[in-house]
Amino acid sequence: MSATPRRAQRPPTRKRDTLRYLRAGAIWTALPVRDQQLLLWLLQADVVTAQLASLLVYGQLRTAQRRLARLVEYGLLAGFWAAGVQRPRGRYAYALTPAARVDIERLVWPDGRPQRAIPLPPSPPIHQLASHDLLAAFLTQADETRGEGLFAWIPERPAGELLGGYVRPDAIAGIRVGDRAIVLFIERDLGTERGDILPGKIRRYRSLFGGPLPIALSVGFVVESGRRERSILNQVRPSPTGPRILTITADRLITDPIGAHWADGPASIPTRGLEAFGATDASVLTAGCLADPDALAAFDDRAAQAMSVLRPHLR
């Protein structure tokens, strides 16, 4: 044979005892707390970029990149390029591997997930990342001294499960303005849905939250352009009850999440001017919030219990 014995040999395979094959439970206590917090957050939020990870918990982008790469080495995360028709250039993102999700769920719910949880398929990563951009804007511009910012942000997966999948907002935002508590359902619209989808969404919101009395709850469609904003408003019929239907362009909301004005037909209302359901003294979520282990409760179904206006509708 012309091949040397070295070339004729099969390439070495990865040994099963390397870090990549360790189960999450086996190395959990050895992980830094910041890694644990991010992995637990991903159980609810599904995807993250290095930029968002640095904002949530790591502080520095280079630190986030290094830790995410290490979690990929461990087999806990998978890195991939997320792109779509509206975002052809895309961006690099990370998600839990299927095995890691199963293992971490067992750590969180050793007796099994709550019965009310209905597994729902997630939206495409590029859509979820567009919703996460709004979370990043709120965290970056939160004002603790004035008590303005988020006190809760329930991502798509737990938000849909809480409502039995009947409506599936991209997020439920609990917003604090002084001592006022506001609930805003976020619908991140990238302009890819067919024309008949939008009226159906609005009907379901009004059916779920309708009643003889007005409800202190708003549904905000965050869109890509003024043209799309006008198109949505033209499809919204006035209703004396049910949630208030609002629109805004993403660039306006990201620039000033609390002060940006939402359109409601002829009216224009800033986020801080939306109707409150009650009072709150909950802490405002800021950059680095996941460094506090208790902050995870603001990102899952536990946060809904702090929103009295939602309680009668939870599954």
Side-chain angles (χ1 to χ4, degrees), residues 294-308:
D294 293 335
L296 281 168
F299 292 99
D300 59 30
D301 59 312
R302 291 171 289 180
Q305 298 302 323
M307 305 178 192
S308 58

Side-chain angles (χ1 to χ4, degrees), residues 145-163:
T145 60
R146 298 180 61 179
E148 290 190 342
L150 296 173
F151 67 85
W153 181 275
I154 307 175
E156 175 191 320
R157 185 189 296 272
E161 292 174 353
L162 283 167
L163 301 167

Side-chain angles (χ1 to χ4, degrees), residues 13-207:
T13 57
R14 188 184 295 272
K15 295 181 180 179
R16 297 296 295 185
D17 59 353
T18 58
L19 287 176
R20 187 171 182 80
Y21 291 99
L22 287 177
R23 299 181 68 86
I27 62 171
W28 185 258
T29 56
L31 291 174
V33 173
R34 293 185 298 177
D35 290 356
Q36 294 178 359
Q37 290 290 95
L38 183 69
L39 294 171
L40 291 170
W41 181 82
L42 281 169
L43 273 184
Q44 312 297 335
D46 290 325
V47 294
V48 72
T49 61
Q51 291 78 9
L52 180 57
S54 67
L55 179 64
L56 285 168
V57 70
Y58 292 118
Q60 299 295 323
L61 179 58
R62 292 190 61 142
T63 302
Q65 292 169 330
R66 185 172 65 252
R67 293 310 307 166
L68 290 168
R70 181 55 59 90
L71 292 173
V72 170
E73 273 186 57
Y74 293 166
L76 300 177
L77 294 183
F80 58 95
W81 196 259
V85 175
Q86 299 300 108
R87 300 285 194 283
R89 294 180 61 185
R91 45 187 158 166
Y92 203 75
Y94 300 83
L96 293 171
T97 63
R101 177 172 287 277
V102 170
D103 287 351
I104 297 171
E105 283 185 350
R106 287 174 179 164
L107 291 172
V108 176
W109 299 292
D111 298 323
R113 296 195 67 185
Q115 288 298 314
R116 74 177 182 185
I118 302 173
L120 298 172
S123 294
I126 199 67
H127 187 101
Q128 290 183 290
L129 291 174
S131 301
H132 290 348
D133 288 342
L134 308 181
L135 166 63
F138 273 103
L139 294 179
T140 302
Q141 301 187 53
D143 189 336
E144 287 185 284
T145 60
R146 298 180 61 179
E148 290 190 342
L150 296 173
F151 67 85
W153 181 275
I154 307 175
E156 175 191 320
R157 185 189 296 272
E161 292 174 353
L162 283 167
L163 301 167
Y166 185 66
V167 296
R168 293 188 56 188
D170 294 309
I172 303 175
I175 302 169
R176 177 179 170 182
V177 180
D179 62 353
R180 301 167 59 246
I182 297 165
V183 172
L184 176 64
F185 280 64
I186 299 289
E187 288 284 348
R188 186 67 176 94
D189 183 288
L190 297 181
T192 57
E193 294 177 334
R194 299 192 313 270
D196 58 336
I197 298 295
L198 178 64
K201 282 185 177 182
I202 295 173
R203 282 195 301 270
R204 286 193 294 275
Y205 274 113
R206 286 178 169 169
S207 173

